[in-house]
Amino acid sequence: AQSVTQPDIHITVSEGASLELRCNYSYGATPYLFWYVQSPGQGLQLLLKYFSGDTLVQGIKGFEAEFKRSQSSFNLRKPSVHWSDAAEYFCAVVQGGSEKLVFGKGTKLTVNP
Amino acid sequence: NAGVTQTPKFQVLKTGQSMTLQCAQDMNHEYMSWYRQDPGMGLRLIHYSVGAGITDQGEVPNGYNVSRSTTEDFPLRLLSAAPSQTSVYFCASSYSRASAYEQYFGPGTRLTVT
């Protein structure tokens, strides 16, 4: 079965520190990959996506992610975290040709001053 | 553009009651979908539609009905609410089937069933 795993339920970092959120997927074919962010009480906003081509993709708010086929991973990174980045982050995957977007269970990010 | 709108924002139902969650988009998007979000579960797809008159089931369709009579609207109906349907519901839309994967989300409806 298709699945998306975000191993870290909750991560705490200090403001200004670097960040990496992990995402692993299990699919047979090349997937389309996404990271969404959800601020408290809000809907989801797309941070970035990977369909094909360059495996390092840039997104909004200074985030980037790298697709590594050999590791079935699509980890999200940011060099220096801001207090406003505190939110919940969701990795999502869809298999080519499918209409169904499958979400991971999310990683909640806390930023300490 | 208002984007994706959902009404109501909050709702409390008693077990067995019925209601409709409204979703509308003004971006002329073909693809629309409904998700529910539960703590520790992420978002799970309930139903989706690839165009007016076409709907299909997602991962957790039981207890929910949908219809798509217009491009703009995609209501979600709970025929007989159960406490297990207490959740936050999100509607989403995207431009076309080919790009059905980049979705725009509404602000959500928080539903409590007692």
Side-chain angles (χ1 to χ4, degrees), chain B residues 24-45:
Chain B
Q25 51 88 13
D26 61 358
M27 298 175 281
N28 201 30
H29 284 175
E30 290 185 2
Y31 184 96
M32 297 184 74
S33 54
W34 277 101
Y35 295 87
R36 59 178 289 171
Q37 183 179 31
D38 302 293
M41 299 294 291
L43 279 82
R44 293 180 292 171
L45 182 65

Side-chain angles (χ1 to χ4, degrees), chain A residues 53-101:
Chain A
D54 193 347
T55 57
L56 183 64
V57 294
Q58 302 297 322
I60 61 171
K61 304 186 181 187
F63 285 92
E64 65 178 27
E66 186 172 13
F67 170 58
K68 292 185 178 180
R69 185 190 303 274
S70 61
Q71 298 177 18
S72 297
S73 69
F74 189 57
N75 294 349
L76 182 71
R77 301 194 295 246
K78 187 170 185 178
S80 177
V81 170
H82 189 263
W83 64 265
S84 60
D85 293 324
E88 191 156 18
Y89 293 80
F90 293 93
C91 181
V93 183
V94 63
Q95 190 167 356
S98 170
E99 301 291 350
K100 300 178 183 178
L101 191 61

Side-chain angles (χ1 to χ4, degrees), chain B residues 2-20:
Chain B
V4 180
T5 58
Q6 293 182 238
T7 56
K9 287 186 69 69
F10 302 94
Q11 183 71 50
V12 179
L13 290 178
K14 294 188 187 317
T15 297
Q17 287 185 316
S18 63
M19 80 159 295
T20 299

